[in-house]
Amino acid sequence: MPGSPALARLLHRLGKFSAQHKWVVLGAWLVALVVVIGLVKSVGANTSNNLELPGTDSQAATDLLAKRFPPQQNGKNPIVFHAPDGKVTDAQNKEAIQQSFDAIKRLPHVYSATSPFSQQGQAQISKDEQTAFLTVLLEIGNEKVTEGLAQRFLDAAEPARKAGMKVAASGQIGSELSEPETHSSDVIGIFAAMVILTLTFGTLVAMGMAIVPAVLGLLVGLSIIGLLGHVTEVPSIAPTLATMIGLGVGIDYALFMVSRYRAHRAEGMDTPDAIAEAVGTTGTAIVFAGGTVVIALVSLLVAGIPLVTSLGYASAFAVVTAVLAAITLLPALLALIGNRIDSLALPAFLHPKEKPPDRGFWADWARSVTGHPGRSIAITLALLGVLIIPFFSLELGQEDIGATPKDTTERQAYDLIAEGFGPGYTGPLLVAVNLEDEPAEPSAQFEKQYATAQELQAELEQEQATGQAGAESLERSAEELEAQQAQLLAEKAALETKAGDLKREKAQLEKSSAQLKKQRTIVDQLDDLVAEAAALVRSGAELAADSARAVAKLEEVKAAEELTEAQLQQPHTPEERARLEARLRLLQRREAKLEQELAGIRAAQQSLKSQGAAVHREASRLKKQAESLGAETLELASDAADAAAEAVTLLNRKNKLVQQAAGAKVKAANLNTQKAQLEALQEEAAAQQQQAEKLKATLTDELTLAGGDERGTDTRLVGLQEALTATIGVLLVSPPDINKKGDAAVYTVIPDGDPADEETADLVTTIRDYVVPQSTHGEDIEAHVGGSTAGNVDLASAIASKLFLVLFAVNALGFLVLLMAFRSFLVSTQAVFAIMLSVCAAFGVLTACFQFGWGIDLIGIDTDSDSVPIASYVPLIMFAVLFGLSMDYQVFLMSQIEHARTKTADEVSAVRAGLAAGGRVISAAALIMISVFGSFILNGDPTVKQFGVGLATGVALAALCVLLLAPAILTLAGKAAWWIPRWADRLLPKIDIEGAGASEAADRNAADRGARGDRGDSMLL
């Protein structure tokens, strides 16, 4: 193949140097290995799950929190506690959780922690009270959380574990403790490769020569990736992905190099020349093949997505170290082994038998493909067409923690939270709010309500004090009145008893009056006296009644005067005061008049008393006169006189009792009036109390929604919070967390579904496109939806928007590289077409397996759902890797066909010979790749499983296209397969991937290799 031999000569000299200075090269690799591994041991291999997506809404939220509200952008790390028996609120469990909380707070790098038993952590206890979690906010970025630090947090929860509770960690802490080990996958993949290599070479030493440099090159590459994490962001999955790719290509490249070296040894070359020739020829193809993989991986840069770019260049490092190990370390090892390359051969029945180029399985395969190209194309397209069908249903999702192994703390925390609180708690959304232009302040309505509440409280306190004093005064007055009433009732009873006695005496006197008829004159006189006494009694009764009425009126006037004077002590308008003063003067005049009337009545009563005394004296005189009429008559007269005197006394007492009763009545009336006033005051106070309590409840609710921060009542924040809460698909919205300056706030929004649900992704879109714009329209506020869930939604959206750009870039670069290498438009076109066909079919298998859930149990995924979302970046990375690896196989096949074309003018014969010569090695290389990638299906990480299934399937289909579709298309095309426009031939630089002119030995041995028939197992490129 024509072209510049500069690279081939350089590699030839490099191979010569490595063979002649094997100890120097081996020592250099050993030093490099020790240095990089030592650095990793001392500073650690730093990776993180930080998701940076410039220009996205989630990144805007992260940047806002990082700038205004650090370290909120790091996200919170839940530590989950579950009580299988009992409740977390039981005294023993509560104390154990609190002890764990206190221990966690004392750990380094803890910015804040929230206990489930604090006021802020009320939502962190499940309804059945069997599960609770505390949240930890770290002051360091997620990339700085090491496994050792994460383990300290889990160890600090030992008191809860001793109390019989389950403890698990989520967030970055749980993620760091749940990264699955890849050692088992590595070992299985290497073991499978060793079996394939041993069967291919027929010797254990040759197999070892292909394995050792691949493994050492991978170790160096992984160490560099680990150190690179201290300089830039390296995703946590990058080392695993790099291991898959680096190990596969490393073994494949070593396979090609060892095969070419053995071929040259079989041709009679000595060890140094055979090594130099192999490096100069196969090494050129390895560099070219590795370069195509690196180009495909680095081309991911055009996506502009840091995560995808990081995975691309991290994997590219593993490919670069694999290439370097193949062209430097492997030649040194071959020089060290020398003639012992074929030692430890397999038994004869397992040793691959040498066959002529036109005999054997691959010769028959080549004849079948080139003999029936239409059938070959139809079979390939039919198979790939069926596999592609599910690809049209592919949906880009995010990593699903619910599909990770159940023995990891991350999965245990996920299950406990989802079961106890709801799946949305496992992936909350963060709504970051920018209030830079107008910081948050308490709303005017809240401040007004608060001032009103304070005034009401003061008034209530004053009214309560006044009411208390009035109630005490009324109580004392009521007690005095009750005592007075009891006394009056007793006196009334006594008067009623004496009145009865008088009635009996009167009856006795009337009975005895018949006996006194004989003493008519005296008796008549006594009757006159009795009548006069009766008249005096009646007059006295009338005067007593008049006196009682006067006293009662006088007491009423006095009470009215006191009430008027009390009213005058209160503030009134001048008109009201003049009216009250006039009324007071009128009452005073009435009081004077009543006192005057009362004095007249008392004078009349005194006169009656004097008349009664005169009657008594007259009766005494008549008594003396009637002594002769007998003792009985005298006694009756005396009794009558005594009765008259007693009647007068009784009348006086009755008058006094009437006056006291009238005063008590007035006092009772005043007491009732005061009681009514007090009751009215109490009713008014009760109404004010209800108003105050209602206002207090309103303020409490507003403060609760505001998270206890008065600034959270800002109408802009309240409007956004209410809009978020009312959104369909939102389970809960936390109160706003506002920074000290008030220029930033953050809400935690809990969705109804888990992070991997399509409905959750739709919710993110709804909040961004509708809820936030509508609730913030016309307000000086800016809100962004962030968090890991929203970040993954943005990642999927970004990848979807950049997918065709990446596809175009990678395909265009691949097309140009093949066009420069083989100077054929059809070869390049069919290669790109075949690669795209195999990659899309691999996507179809990936979709059917994970998204449809077909056979998901067979690959070891234990999830409550029937499917696992495909991580959004998996198809993009898969495409870049598979494109590069498929290009390798295309290059290897086309190199063989191009080499055969130099020996025959028949295009179909050249295709047949190239396929027969390269089929065995291409299939072996593909089997190695399939084994390595397939071994990572055993990895616990569902995303790694997706890479394992997708890449293993993709390599198998790519190999099928190379071994079946490509030669069939070239056969049908004939000479047209090698056509290229003249202008393109002139413009495009020439690439020598065969290593033509690498050494004079290559030319000298060309004829010998042709004579020997170019053995199919040694002619690789």
Side-chain angles (χ1 to χ4, degrees):
M1 175 178 175
S4 172
L7 178 61
R9 289 198 298 268
L10 176 62
L11 291 174
H12 186 274
R13 289 195 295 270
L14 180 61
K16 196 78 169 179
F17 176 85
S18 298
Q20 294 176 346
H21 303 86
K22 54 182 177 292
W23 294 111
V24 173
V25 176
L26 292 173
W29 269 94
L30 181 61
V31 169
L33 189 63
V34 171
V35 168
V36 293
I37 291 179
L39 287 174
V40 170
K41 292 292 184 181
S42 61
V43 302
N46 196 20
T47 60
S48 75
N49 289 324
N50 285 348
L51 182 59
E52 292 187 5
L53 295 167
T56 62
D57 196 51
S58 60
Q59 188 63 47
T62 300
D63 294 341
L64 175 62
L65 295 176
K67 181 180 179 182
R68 308 266 184 81
F69 214 165
Q72 296 288 341
Q73 76 279 3
N74 295 331
K76 295 180 179 179
N77 300 268
I79 309 296
V80 188
F81 304 88
H82 178 72
D85 301 319
K87 299 179 179 180
V88 294
T89 52
D90 294 341
Q92 180 181 0
N93 292 335
K94 184 176 181 179
E95 182 180 0
I97 293 175
Q98 191 61 40
Q99 290 176 357
S100 302
F101 173 73
D102 294 338
I104 288 173
K105 281 199 304 183
R106 293 192 294 268
L107 291 176
H109 307 303
V110 174
Y111 179 80
S112 66
T114 304
S115 168
F117 304 113
S118 65
Q119 183 177 2
Q120 296 84 359
Q122 292 179 355
Q124 295 172 200
I125 300 177
S126 63
K127 291 182 179 180
D128 60 8
E129 297 186 352
Q130 283 192 295
T131 308
F133 65 89
L134 60 87
T135 56
V136 180
L137 182 62
L138 300 177
E139 62 185 5
I140 58 175
N142 292 336
E143 72 280 359
K144 296 183 179 179
V145 179
T146 62
E147 183 177 355
L149 176 62
Q151 186 61 47
R152 292 183 66 180
F153 282 90
L154 210 55
D155 294 341
E158 186 62 24
R161 199 175 288 107
K162 287 183 178 179
M165 285 182 283
K166 294 181 180 179
V167 181
S170 187
Q172 182 62 28
I173 292 175
S175 177
E176 195 67 32
L177 294 173
S178 304
E179 293 184 5
E181 298 292 339
T182 62
H183 300 313
S184 58
S185 298
D186 298 346
V187 172
I188 293 174
I190 292 173
F191 178 77
M194 291 171 62
V195 172
I196 296 170
L197 288 170
T198 302
L199 294 176
T200 301
F201 292 138
T203 166
L204 295 178
V205 174
M207 176 273 296
M209 288 299 97
I211 292 293
V212 172
V215 173
L216 294 181
L218 177 63
L219 290 177
V220 173
L222 291 177
S223 300
I224 294 174
I225 293 171
L227 295 174
L228 191 65
H230 294 279
V231 180
T232 184
E233 296 285 348
V234 174
S236 299
I237 199 174
T240 303
L241 183 61
T243 299
M244 298 171 66
I245 298 171
L247 189 61
V249 298
I251 295 175
D252 273 6
Y253 295 160
L255 163 66
F256 301 138
M257 184 70 74
V258 172
S259 297
R260 179 55 66 93
Y261 167 73
R262 294 180 71 209
H264 289 318
R265 289 280 299 165
E267 293 171 354
M269 290 186 182
D270 58 9
T271 297
D273 289 338
I275 292 173
E277 181 68 12
V279 175
T281 54
T282 300
T284 305
I286 289 174
V287 170
F288 180 81
T292 59
V293 178
V294 171
I295 289 173
L297 291 171
V298 175
S299 296
L300 294 172
L301 179 66
V302 301
I305 303 173
L307 171 68
V308 174
T309 302
S310 299
L311 290 174
Y313 66 66
S315 301
F317 270 109
V319 175
V320 170
T321 54
V323 171
L324 291 176
I327 62 176
T328 58
L329 177 59
L330 179 55
L333 289 173
L334 290 174
L336 181 65
I337 294 298
N339 296 329
R340 297 185 296 276
I341 185 67
D342 292 325
S343 300
L344 301 177
L346 293 177
F349 70 93
L350 292 176
H351 201 283
K353 295 179 175 57
E354 298 291 339
K355 295 181 180 178
D358 59 345
R359 298 288 301 277
F361 173 80
W362 289 108
D364 295 338
W365 176 275
R367 282 192 292 270
S368 175
V369 171
T370 56
H372 306 280
R375 181 183 63 185
S376 301
I377 294 174
I379 292 174
T380 306
L381 294 180
L383 175 61
L384 296 181
V386 172
L387 297 178
I388 285 175
I389 293 175
F391 165 64
F392 297 106
S393 301
L394 174 64
E395 295 177 356
L396 300 181
Q398 57 179 307
E399 298 183 41
D400 187 5
I401 299 176
T404 55
K406 289 189 174 182
D407 59 351
T408 62
T409 186
E410 185 179 38
R411 172 65 185 276
Q412 292 168 1
Y414 177 93
D415 290 341
L416 290 174
I417 292 176
E419 181 179 354
F421 299 88
Y425 276 81
T426 62
L429 308 177
L430 297 180
V431 178
V433 182
N434 183 4
L435 300 164
E436 180 180 14
D437 295 334
E438 187 178 345
E441 293 181 352
S443 67
Q445 179 183 0
F446 177 83
E447 291 183 333
K448 182 179 179 181
Q449 290 175 334
Y450 184 78
T452 303
Q454 294 292 95
E455 292 175 1
L456 281 175
Q457 185 65 30
E459 290 179 5
L460 282 173
E461 291 175 356
Q462 183 178 0
E463 290 177 356
Q464 285 174 353
T466 303
Q468 182 66 24
E472 292 175 356
S473 176
L474 282 175
E475 186 177 356
R476 289 192 300 269
S477 298
E479 291 175 354
E480 294 175 358
L481 186 59
E482 287 177 358
Q484 187 175 1
Q485 287 176 343
Q487 182 181 358
L488 290 174
L489 289 174
E491 291 184 1
K492 180 181 178 183
L495 287 175
E496 289 176 350
T497 300
K498 288 186 177 183
D501 293 342
L502 286 175
K503 287 180 179 179
R504 286 191 296 273
E505 289 180 3
K506 182 180 179 183
Q508 184 65 32
L509 286 173
E510 291 176 351
K511 182 178 179 181
S512 302
S513 63
Q515 298 176 2
L516 299 177
K517 290 181 178 180
K518 294 179 180 182
Q519 296 85 13
R520 174 61 59 185
T521 301
I522 296 174
V523 171
D524 290 341
Q525 291 177 355
L526 287 175
D527 287 341
D528 293 338
L529 289 175
V530 170
E532 186 177 357
L536 289 175
V537 169
R538 287 194 298 274
S539 297
E542 290 175 357
L543 288 175
D546 292 339
S547 177
R549 284 193 295 272
V551 169
K553 289 181 180 180
L554 183 60
E555 291 297 328
E556 288 178 0
V557 170
K558 287 182 179 180
E561 285 179 2
E562 291 176 356
L563 180 60
T564 304
E565 288 174 352
Q567 290 176 344
L568 281 172
Q569 299 301 318
Q570 299 177 0
H572 296 285
T573 62
E575 292 78 3
E576 291 179 346
R577 177 171 293 276
R579 182 178 57 79
L580 291 173
E581 289 175 349
R583 182 185 178 188
L584 180 60
R585 288 193 297 272
L586 177 61
L587 291 172
Q588 289 173 348
R589 288 195 297 271
R590 291 183 63 185
E591 181 184 3
K593 184 178 179 181
L594 287 172
E595 288 179 350
Q596 186 177 3
E597 291 178 0
L598 185 61
I601 293 172
R602 288 173 179 170
Q605 287 177 332
Q606 185 64 33
S607 177
L608 285 175
K609 187 175 182 181
S610 298
Q611 292 178 9
V615 170
H616 180 68
R617 287 192 300 272
E618 181 66 19
S620 298
R621 186 181 62 81
L622 290 174
K623 182 179 179 183
K624 290 178 181 180
Q625 293 178 357
E627 285 180 355
S628 60
L629 296 177
E632 183 178 356
T633 301
L634 293 174
E635 184 179 357
L636 288 174
S638 177
D639 290 343
D642 291 340
E646 188 174 359
V648 173
T649 302
L650 186 61
L651 181 61
N652 291 334
R653 290 183 62 187
K654 181 180 179 182
N655 291 338
K656 184 178 179 181
L657 184 62
V658 170
Q659 290 177 357
Q660 291 177 346
K665 184 178 180 181
V666 172
K667 191 173 182 179
N670 292 335
L671 190 63
N672 288 333
T673 301
Q674 294 177 10
K675 184 178 180 182
Q677 292 175 347
L678 182 61
E679 288 176 350
L681 184 63
Q682 289 175 341
E683 289 178 359
E684 183 180 357
Q688 291 178 338
Q689 180 70 31
Q690 286 183 340
Q691 182 183 359
E693 289 178 353
K694 184 177 180 181
L695 186 57
K696 183 179 179 181
T698 301
L699 291 173
T700 301
D701 292 342
E702 290 180 1
L703 276 177
T704 301
L705 291 174
D709 190 338
E710 294 181 0
R711 298 174 300 172
T713 63
D714 189 305
T715 54
R716 298 169 298 170
L717 294 176
V718 172
L720 177 58
Q721 184 177 5
E722 291 176 348
L724 290 171
T725 304
T727 303
I728 297 175
V730 171
L731 178 65
L732 178 70
V733 178
S734 73
D737 192 359
I738 307 172
N739 66 349
K740 291 182 179 180
K741 291 184 178 180
D743 59 358
V746 60
Y747 294 95
T748 300
V749 179
I750 307 298
D752 282 332
D754 62 53
D757 280 351
E758 184 179 353
E759 293 179 356
T760 304
D762 293 340
L763 175 63
V764 173
T765 304
T766 299
I767 293 175
R768 287 174 173 169
D769 294 347
Y770 300 101
V771 179
V772 170
Q774 291 176 4
S775 61
T776 60
H777 180 69
E779 301 285 355
D780 191 9
I781 184 175
E782 179 184 347
H784 304 281
V785 183
S788 60
T789 301
N792 284 316
V793 171
D794 286 338
L795 176 62
S797 177
I799 288 176
S801 64
K802 299 289 185 178
L803 184 59
F804 289 104
L805 177 61
V806 175
L807 293 178
F808 174 78
V810 174
N811 277 296
L813 288 173
F815 179 83
L816 289 175
V817 169
L818 288 173
L819 196 60
M820 288 186 290
F822 296 107
R823 326 303 289 183
S824 168
F825 182 81
L826 182 62
V827 168
S828 303
T829 302
Q830 72 80 25
V832 171
F833 172 74
I835 292 172
M836 286 300 301
L837 202 61
S838 60
V839 169
C840 290
F843 288 166
V845 173
L846 189 69
T847 303
C849 180
F850 291 91
Q851 189 173 309
F852 296 172
W854 296 352
I856 197 170
D857 294 335
L858 299 178
I859 59 176
I861 289 183
D862 187 1
T863 178
D864 296 333
S865 61
D866 296 330
S867 63
V868 175
I870 298 172
S872 56
Y873 58 86
V874 168
L876 195 61
I877 302 297
M878 267 182 57
F879 167 72
V881 173
L882 289 175
F883 193 94
L885 297 179
S886 300
M887 283 277 288
D888 289 352
Y889 298 151
Q890 290 283 347
V891 168
F892 297 151
L893 176 64
M894 296 307 149
S895 177
Q896 292 286 5
I897 295 174
E898 179 70 11
H899 182 77
R901 286 182 65 229
T902 62
K903 298 181 179 182
T904 177
D906 184 2
E907 304 297 337
V908 175
S909 298
V911 172
R912 184 184 301 115
L915 179 58
R920 179 181 178 184
V921 178
I922 291 173
S923 62
L927 286 175
I928 290 173
M929 284 280 192
I930 294 170
S931 301
V932 171
F933 293 151
S935 66
F936 281 84
I937 297 175
L938 303 176
N939 190 286
D941 190 332
T943 304
V944 176
K945 290 179 180 291
Q946 291 174 8
F947 276 118
V949 171
L951 291 177
T953 303
V955 167
L957 296 177
L960 177 66
C961 288
V962 169
L963 297 175
L964 189 60
L965 181 62
I969 292 175
L970 296 178
T971 299
L972 287 177
K975 292 184 178 181
W978 305 99
W979 172 83
I980 183 174
R982 292 183 180 180
W983 61 267
D985 191 38
R986 290 194 305 270
L987 292 176
L988 293 174
K990 293 180 172 60
I991 299 177
D992 180 14
I993 63 171
E994 178 63 23
S999 66
E1000 294 180 359
D1003 294 333
R1004 289 196 303 269
N1005 294 331
D1008 295 338
R1009 287 199 301 272
R1012 297 182 182 183
D1014 290 335
R1015 298 172 191 156
D1017 62 324
S1018 61
M1019 179 57 64
L1020 305 176
L1021 301 173

